[in-house]
Amino acid sequence: LIDIHKLAAWAASLRQSPARHFYILSAYLIGSVLVVPITVLILITAIVFGPTIGSLYSLAGCLIGAAVTYMIGFFLGQDFVRKIAGAKWQRLERKIGQSGIIAVATLRLLPVAPFTVVNIVAGAFRVPLRDYILGSLLGLTPGILVTNLFAHQFENAVRNPGIGTILILAALVGITAIGTTWLKRRLDGV
C-alpha cells in the first residue's frame, strides 16, 4: 500500500512548508496507530529535515507514536492482546516480560516484531513507563541515526553520482548489515 514515489514527492514538497514540523509529527502519531513501517517515516523525515534535524524529529516522532500505542495496549490489556496476537507472539511476550530498560532496548534494536506491535504488547503487559521510554530511546537512537545517514548519503549518490558517493553508500550498507548481524547474534540469547 505504500508508494515510495508518492511518499518521496510528498516529503520533497514538505521541505518548504512552514507546517512541516506539525505534519511530520502527526504522521508518526497516525502512522504508529495504522501500523505504518517506522522506517518509512524515518526516511521521509530525513528527506524533509536532513540527517541532523531529521534524526531529532524522527526520535521525537517515534517516541510520540510509541507512547500513544503503548497506552492503547495498556487499555486493551493482556488477555485481549494475547487473543489477537496468538501463539506467534510468545517470544515477544517473553522478552517484554523480562521488563527493564535493557529488555526494551533489545526489542527496539532487533526486528522482533513491528514497531506498533511492540508498543501495544509493552502497554498490555504493563512494562513500567520509565523503563519503556528509556529503553525505547536507547534502542531506537542507533537505527534512527543510521537510517538518516543512509537517506542523506543515498540522496547525495542520486544527485551527484560519482564513485566516491557510491562507495560511501555501499560502505554504509555493508557496515549496517555486518553490525545488525553481529548485534542479532550477540543479543539473541538475551
Side-chain angles (χ1 to χ4, degrees):
L1 296 176
I2 296 172
D3 184 342
I4 294 298
H5 298 294
K6 285 182 184 176
L7 288 174
W10 178 68
S13 71
L14 275 180
R15 281 185 178 161
Q16 305 308 316
S17 173
R20 66 186 176 276
H21 312 286
F22 172 76
Y23 291 140
I24 288 293
L25 293 177
S26 295
Y28 279 92
L29 177 65
I30 294 165
S32 294
V33 172
L34 298 178
V35 196
V36 171
I38 203 68
T39 306
V40 171
L41 295 171
I42 294 168
L43 286 170
I44 290 170
T45 307
I47 292 169
V48 172
F49 293 107
T52 307
I53 301 298
S55 293
L56 296 174
Y57 272 98
S58 293
L59 194 54
C62 284
L63 291 176
I64 288 168
V68 168
T69 49
Y70 173 93
M71 293 310 295
I72 290 171
F74 187 87
F75 289 113
L76 289 176
Q78 283 184 12
D79 293 336
F80 184 79
V81 170
R82 267 194 197 118
K83 207 176 290 183
I84 289 175
K88 64 181 174 178
W89 299 109
Q90 287 177 350
R91 181 175 179 210
L92 177 60
E93 183 179 331
R94 187 176 66 248
K95 291 228 184 245
I96 284 283
Q98 293 171 356
S99 233
I101 295 169
I102 299 301
V104 175
T106 301
L107 285 170
R108 295 297 189 199
L109 286 167
L110 299 176
V112 175
F115 179 76
T116 302
V117 173
V118 170
N119 303 336
I120 289 173
V121 171
F125 286 86
R126 308 285 199 268
V127 171
L129 190 58
R130 179 183 141 291
D131 292 356
Y132 174 73
I133 296 296
L134 289 174
S136 291
L137 183 65
L138 288 172
L140 288 169
T141 299
I144 287 171
L145 292 173
V146 167
T147 303
N148 272 270
L149 283 172
F150 173 79
H152 176 70
Q153 191 56 40
F154 182 76
E155 190 175 24
N156 280 345
V158 169
R159 286 187 182 180
N160 306 311
I163 192 74
T165 56
I166 292 173
L167 285 175
I168 292 172
L169 183 62
L172 253 173
V173 170
I175 290 168
T176 301
I178 291 167
T180 302
T181 303
W182 176 81
L183 188 62
K184 181 164 177 37
R185 285 184 184 156
R186 185 119 163 104
L187 295 176
D188 246 353
V190 175

